[in-house]
Structures are given as C-alpha cells and as structure tokens.
Amino acid sequence: MSDNQSWNSSGSEEDIEPREEPGHPIGIAEFSGYLSKWTNYIHGWQDRWVVLKNNTLSYYKSQDETEYGCRGSLCLSKAVITPHEFDECRLDMSVNDSVWYLRAQDPEHRHQWIESIELHRSIREGRREKGGVQGRIIIPPPLADSGYGSESSLRRHGSMLSLTSATSGYSATSTSSFKGHSLREKLAEMETFRDILCRQVDTLQKYFDSCADAVSKDELQRDKIVEDDEDDFPNTRTDGEFLHNNNGSKEKSLQSLNPKGINGIDFKGEAITFKATTAGILATLSHCIDLMVKREDSWQKRLDKEMEKRRRIEESYKSALNELKKKSHFGGPDYEEGPNSLINEDEFFDAVEAALDRQDKIEEQSQTEKTRIQRSDAVSLGDAYSSSGTHRFSNKVEEMVQSHMTYSLQDVGGDANWQLVVEEGEMKVYRREVEENGIVLDPLKATHSVKGVTGHEVCHYFWDTAYRSDWETTIENFNVVETLSENAVIVYQTHKRVWPASQRDVLYLSAMRKIMASNENDPDTWLVCNFSVDHENALPTSRCVRAKINIAMICQTLVSPPDGDKEISRDNILCKITYVANVNPGGWAPASVLRAVAKREYPKFLKRFTSYVQEKTAGKPILF
C-alpha cells in the first residue's frame, strides 16, 4: 500500500503541509491508498482504493475508477474505529449497523490510517477528541454492572432491608418501606418509653447525687460527735445516757436519709416505674424484632423472585445479543476459517454440511442439462500411455507410478491401522488417522467393483479434462497450465468455497499410464496419478489456501468367458477400482469437520463418477 498511499492528491507521504483547494478547507489533508476490504464470504478480501477527504471515508474499486464515483462512503462524525484484537493489520469501521472490515498491508500502515482518520476528524471539528466515542473501542458494560437490577442498586433503592440494618439505625425511609401499621405503632411506643426512661434516669441521678451528699455530711457529723465524746469521757454520765445520746444522733442521721426528705422523691415508686418502663421497652423491642424478622422473610422472598427474574432476563439478553451478533455479522471475516474464528466446531460443520447440500441440489438440477451435451470420445491408443515420456517431470511420474503399484494395491482389510468407515455394496472406504501440526492428513483408500466398463475407460474419463466438469461437482474452474506429453498435463483448479471454510486451490501434475502385466494370466493395469507440483504460471495467492495432493486411480479389467461362440459384451467385463488419496488441506479447518466431510464426500464422488462412466460407455464399443 505504501507505493500508492499519499497525503494529498498529488504529494508524497512526506509532503504533509496542508493547502487550500477548491471545496477543500485549509488544514484538512487528503489521505488515500489501497486497503483490502471484506466483500462477502464468496469473494473474501478485495483490494479497494480508499480516500479520506472532507470528513468522509470513501472507497473505489481501483484508483483508475475514481472518476466514475465511489462505491460506498462513511461519515467520520458518527463512525467508530475498532482495531482488531488479534489481526494487527485489520481495522473495522462502523456506523450504526453498517460495518466495513478493512485490512492494511502491515501494522504500521494500519496505524497511519487510524491516526489520519482521527487527525482529519479532529481538525474538521476544531478539537481533538480524546477518550470519547469517536475513534475508540467501545465495550458495552455487562448487565450486572449497569445499575439496573443489580444487587447494589437494590440496596441503594431500599429494596432490601436486613435485620442488621434495621436494628443498627432506624430512619424515616426504612419505616416508610414497611406497609404494616403495627410496626410503626410499636416504634412510637418505644419513643414514648424512651422519653419516660430519660426523665426517670434524670430523677434517679438527682436522687443518687442527693444521697451521696447526705452520706458525706452524716459521716462528717459522726466524726465530730466521736471526738466530742472522747473529750467528755471522764464525765460522771452513765453509759446509758451516753448511749442514749449516741442513738439520738444515729436516728437523726437516718432521718436525714429518709427518701421523701430529699427533694420529696419517692425512691421506691421511682424504682418500680423504672423497672416497668425497662420491661416495656424490652417487650416492645422484642415485638419489633419479631415483626422485622417476618418482614425480612417477606422481603427476602421478593428479593429471590426478583433475582431469579433478573437472571432469566440476563440470560435472554445475552442470548439475544449473541444471536444479533451472528445475524448482523454472519458471513463476515470473524466467522470464516482461521485461527481466531468465532464459530465453534458444531456450527462450522453445520454450515459446511448445509452448503454441501445446496451444492448437491444445484448439481442434480444441472445434471440433466449436462447429459444432453454429447462429445466425441476421441481416445488415444494404449501405446501412448506405456511410458512416462521425456518431459522434465518424467522421473517423478515414474517414481509415483511405481510407488502406487507397490503400496496402493496392498490389501488393508486386516491392518489395524486402517479403519473401515464406509461399506456400501461392493464399495469399501478405509481411513488411517494422521495429524501433523494440528492439520488432518488422513490417507484414504477405497475399493470398488463396477460392471460393464474397463479400466482403460475409467482412467480415460478420470484423466481427460474435457469431461472434468461433467462429473466433478466441487470444482469452480480449472485450466491446463502446461501440456507435458500426450499422457501428462499440469492442471490448476479452484474448488467451490464452502463457507465458513476458506476457498481451496490445487496445482497438480496428472499423468495416465498403462502397466503391462508380467504374467499373461494377470490383467493389465491402468493408472492415473495426480500429485502436487510448483509452476511459475500458477503461484499461490492470498485468495485461496493451496492444498497438496497425491491421488491415484488404479483400475484392472476382469473378463469372464462368454457363453458359446458369443462375442464379449459389457455383461462379461468387470472393473476393479482402487482409489487412494493423500490430501493436505492446509488452513485452519477443524479436524472433526474435515473427517466428517471426507467420510461423506468420497463415497458420493466414487459412486457419481463410476455411474457417469457407465452412462458414457453404454452401447459403445468396448475399449480395452
């Protein structure tokens, strides 16, 4: 992108001095260049010429087509820029429900675009908006933290009252939250009892203070009397008189301690009233606690119901949000095959299976049209396939042929490493599970017996590209890159994309050979081997994932003697087919999905192809 990127229509990247143009306010520099834009799941990423001008981001098919008008535009004032979390080259721009998925050439160019968009927007609006909505990642808060229906908000709005909060502090708000009147009445009684108790405490305090003063005075007086008695001890008074005087002083002291003698307070009555008031407070408080416990149970049940309702609403919200994301972005780059795909294996398989079913229906409808087209079956003589030729890949072809003749014809029925995955009549399909770096590389081997055709005929229709589109339903297009010899060609073909899997292409050499039997009692063998090669005219591209293949179709013809002097007919011939496939699909498709698709598609392909050969050869001379 750097070669085509510019800060203005005629300057370079270093020429960033803004200048005034007609209809282009000074201070706002134009920024343009190529970005890859996600078009749809069929065409994927496509390069588009993107122009940033006048607070608007517009894109064109190419730089040469800008004069024909843009293909789309976004107003930057309402756009939200979201750099991708994993892809360092990608940025998403959205306005309401419209989303543009864009990819720069490298992270540095993505940063330049983001900075240019924000700078352009801030200059246009006359201020740099930092921390706002524009140009920032927006993460919606979860429902639990939004303040609606959360536990903290319930507490803030008085929807939850615990026993602790009720006993620790009573307020008008908490009182009003209770609808029952008995609790308010009991609380009012407690207020009355409290006032009475306060007055009684003051009265008793005064009484106790008076008592303390009286006791102090009495002690001082007694000490004085004792001193006087000691001084008058030699007196001729009798002990009885002294005692009488002493008792009189004590009586006077006790008289001074008479409850009603101090401020007229009835101590006994006050004590009885104090005890009754305290008992009343305790009883009323106990009643209040019982009422609050009952009210707490009622509110707890209501709270549990509200929490359960909130949980169901939250689950529904999340489910609806996920469905909305899938519907609004289904088919976008986040859901295609890749290391950071948001689609799980089950959804991946369901999507692939649905796409394959649609392709099968389309193929069934078009098959009738294909059978109407008759082609001349010009078949080369068998001698043309007796050698590998003299081209640059002839040694590699001979090596592949000998390898298939040695190993591919071996019986795998009793091998524990091979699993029988499909058995339908004469057809058996085996698989050996192999994974390398997380990629499924399962070798596959199928055996089949087809009546009425020869090995030469089967290999001819399998190898000749003129008939490829008649029986091969997975190919989108193909072309012969190079013809090496009469029996060897290099073919490039792209397969139909099955979303969300990425589109695959393959470049391979296809050679057809006839292997003469070493024993006259054994049948000759016809073989077609297809294996991946490299070619300068068909290099890998970012549009497709390049698959690697090593495939062989090996056929032998068995002939049963006709009755009497009759000539050999197609009823007397049987073709034994061995089909082997080693495919490295590349990419990031889940292993379970690849194995399920292979188990489904390979038997269908073999039945479809052999039926096609039977239809093409019916009523025609036998080609041995």
Side-chain angles (χ1 to χ4, degrees):
M1 186 181 69
S2 59
D3 297 337
N4 300 303
Q5 210 169 26
S6 61
W7 281 95
N8 50 54
S9 58
S10 60
S12 64
E13 198 169 293
E14 289 76 14
D15 184 17
I16 60 174
E17 187 68 27
R19 57 186 181 182
E20 187 172 6
E21 300 177 1
H24 195 94
I26 189 168
I28 303 179
E30 179 181 328
F31 190 67
S32 59
Y34 275 106
L35 288 174
S36 295
K37 182 179 181 296
W38 178 263
T39 55
N40 52 57
Y41 71 87
I42 296 177
H43 300 291
W45 296 97
Q46 299 291 331
D47 289 339
R48 295 289 183 260
W49 181 257
V50 182
V51 177
L52 175 60
K53 183 178 180 181
N54 291 341
N55 204 37
T56 302
L57 192 70
S58 307
Y59 77 92
Y60 306 82
K61 187 175 182 180
S62 64
Q63 186 178 5
D64 298 333
E65 297 187 8
T66 54
E67 59 184 7
Y68 300 120
C70 68
R71 293 198 165 197
S73 61
L74 285 178
C75 178
L76 298 182
S77 300
K78 300 181 180 179
V80 178
I81 307 173
T82 308
H84 197 265
E85 183 178 0
F86 304 107
D87 192 343
E88 295 181 351
C89 299
R90 181 175 146 192
L91 64 149
D92 301 344
M93 296 195 63
S94 60
V95 176
N96 298 328
D97 295 334
S98 177
V99 182
W100 286 9
Y101 304 103
L102 303 173
R103 288 189 89 252
Q105 189 177 12
D106 51 49
E108 181 182 354
H109 289 151
R110 183 187 78 165
H111 180 71
Q112 289 179 2
W113 273 98
I114 293 176
E115 288 296 321
S116 299
I117 292 172
E118 293 186 353
L119 178 62
H120 189 95
R121 182 162 50 190
S122 64
I123 295 176
R124 180 75 178 183
E125 296 177 356
R127 65 184 183 278
R128 174 75 71 175
E129 295 190 11
K130 293 183 179 179
V133 174
Q134 298 172 344
R136 298 291 181 262
I137 301 175
I138 296 179
I139 303 177
L143 181 62
D145 298 331
S146 62
Y148 295 94
S150 64
E151 186 173 332
S152 59
S153 67
L154 291 175
R155 289 196 180 100
R156 286 195 300 270
H157 291 87
S159 298
M160 177 179 179
L161 180 64
S162 64
L163 183 60
T164 304
S165 62
T167 56
S168 61
Y170 172 76
S171 64
T173 304
S174 61
T175 306
S176 61
S177 64
F178 293 101
K179 295 182 179 180
H181 296 289
S182 58
L183 182 59
R184 283 201 293 268
E185 292 174 355
K186 292 300 178 181
L187 291 174
E189 290 179 8
M190 289 182 64
E191 289 286 337
T192 304
F193 283 133
R194 190 199 65 167
D195 295 339
I196 297 173
L197 188 61
C198 289
R199 290 195 298 270
Q200 290 176 339
V201 168
D202 292 339
T203 302
L204 290 175
Q205 186 63 47
K206 292 178 182 179
Y207 178 77
F208 292 148
D209 292 342
S210 300
C211 288
D213 293 340
V215 170
S216 299
K217 292 178 181 180
D218 182 65
E219 289 179 353
L220 292 174
Q221 188 175 0
R222 280 193 303 169
D223 292 340
K224 185 177 180 180
I225 292 174
V226 170
E227 292 176 356
D228 294 341
D229 289 345
E230 288 178 355
D231 295 338
D232 296 338
F233 182 75
N235 202 327
T236 58
R237 294 180 183 175
T238 64
D239 294 338
E241 184 180 0
F242 172 79
L243 292 174
H244 175 76
N245 292 335
N246 191 24
N247 290 337
S249 300
K250 292 180 180 178
E251 289 177 1
K252 184 177 180 182
S253 299
L254 291 175
Q255 184 179 2
S256 65
L257 294 175
N258 191 335
K260 290 188 178 181
I262 302 177
N263 298 327
I265 298 175
D266 185 1
F267 176 74
K268 186 175 182 180
E270 290 293 338
I272 294 173
T273 304
F274 180 81
K275 183 178 181 180
T277 304
T278 306
I281 290 177
L282 294 176
T284 305
L285 182 60
S286 177
H287 192 184
C288 290
I289 292 174
D290 292 339
L291 290 175
M292 285 188 285
V293 168
K294 293 179 181 179
R295 190 68 69 178
E296 172 75 8
D297 293 339
S298 174
W299 278 104
Q300 186 63 44
K301 291 179 181 179
R302 293 183 61 180
L303 175 63
D304 293 340
K305 290 181 180 179
E306 291 295 328
M307 293 296 290
E308 178 64 22
K309 185 186 296 184
R310 167 182 172 253
R311 186 187 63 79
R312 290 196 300 266
I313 294 175
E314 188 178 58
E315 291 178 354
S316 300
Y317 168 78
K318 291 181 179 178
S319 176
L321 185 62
N322 291 334
E323 290 297 326
L324 180 62
K325 287 182 178 179
K326 289 181 180 180
K327 290 180 180 179
S328 60
H329 301 289
F330 202 69
D334 291 325
Y335 289 88
E336 67 172 347
E337 175 189 348
N340 303 314
S341 177
L342 300 181
I343 190 170
N344 58 43
E345 288 193 15
D346 293 337
E347 294 173 333
F348 196 106
F349 176 75
D350 292 341
V352 169
E353 190 174 38
L356 292 174
D357 289 339
R358 288 194 297 270
Q359 289 185 5
D360 290 343
K361 291 181 180 180
I362 295 174
E363 183 61 28
E364 290 175 2
Q365 294 173 358
S366 61
Q367 192 65 36
T368 55
E369 296 295 331
K370 292 181 180 179
T371 56
R372 297 176 185 175
I373 303 174
Q374 299 294 332
R375 297 185 179 90
S376 60
D377 297 340
V379 182
S380 300
L381 298 177
D383 294 339
Y385 305 101
S386 299
S387 66
S388 299
T390 58
H391 51 83
R392 65 183 185 278
F393 289 103
S394 57
N395 293 335
K396 184 66 175 178
V397 172
E398 190 64 28
E399 179 185 342
M400 288 293 180
V401 169
Q402 294 303 322
S403 175
H404 285 302
M405 291 298 296
T406 302
Y407 301 107
S408 299
L409 291 177
Q410 294 179 356
D411 186 16
V412 297
D415 193 336
N417 294 324
W418 290 85
Q419 303 175 6
L420 178 63
V421 293
V422 176
E423 183 175 7
E424 297 181 9
E426 295 292 332
M427 182 176 61
K428 295 180 180 179
V429 180
Y430 299 88
R431 180 182 66 201
R432 182 161 55 90
E433 293 190 358
V434 176
E435 286 191 30
E436 183 177 329
N437 297 326
I439 300 177
V440 175
L441 305 176
D442 295 352
L444 184 139
K445 184 173 184 178
T447 59
H448 195 22
S449 297
V450 184
K451 293 181 179 180
V453 296
T454 66
H456 188 180
E457 292 169 335
V458 172
C459 288
H460 166 67
Y461 287 105
F462 184 74
W463 177 78
D464 197 336
T465 57
Y467 307 99
R468 184 67 52 83
S469 59
D470 291 346
W471 56 266
E472 180 60 274
T473 61
T474 64
I475 293 179
E476 183 175 84
N477 54 64
F478 68 93
N479 63 286
V480 177
V481 178
E482 183 180 353
T483 301
L484 300 174
S485 64
E486 291 186 28
N487 64 336
V489 293
I490 296 178
V491 179
Y492 172 75
Q493 65 187 31
T494 58
H495 291 264
K496 297 176 182 177
R497 184 180 183 188
V498 181
W499 194 90
S502 300
Q503 189 172 21
R504 259 70 176 178
D505 65 356
V506 60
L507 178 69
Y508 62 93
L509 187 151
S510 181
M512 181 174 172
R513 286 288 306 279
K514 177 183 180 182
I515 310 299
M516 302 298 294
S518 58
N519 189 336
E520 62 179 6
N521 294 324
D522 294 335
D524 296 336
T525 301
W526 286 86
L527 178 146
V528 176
C529 61
N530 299 336
F531 57 91
S532 293
V533 294
D534 295 325
H535 199 282
E536 59 183 5
N537 294 336
L539 298 175
T541 64
S542 59
R543 181 172 176 266
C544 297
V545 175
R546 178 64 57 89
K548 302 293 184 180
I549 66 170
N550 183 9
I551 295 173
M553 177 76 75
I554 309 170
C555 303
Q556 293 177 331
T557 305
L558 304 180
V559 182
S560 60
D563 296 334
D565 297 333
K566 294 182 179 179
E567 294 183 357
I568 296 177
S569 66
R570 292 195 175 274
D571 294 334
N572 303 117
I573 59 177
L574 177 71
C575 181
K576 298 196 69 173
I577 300 174
T578 300
Y579 178 81
V580 293
N582 292 271
V583 179
N584 181 351
W588 301 87
S592 60
V593 176
L594 291 175
R595 291 192 171 108
V597 171
K599 181 179 178 181
R600 162 187 165 143
E601 292 301 310
Y602 276 113
K604 288 173 59 178
F605 146 72
L606 205 53
K607 288 191 294 184
R608 181 174 61 249
F609 171 69
T610 53
S611 298
Y612 170 79
V613 176
Q614 287 176 322
E615 292 175 3
K616 293 291 290 184
T617 57
K620 295 180 180 179
I622 301 174
L623 181 65
F624 287 100

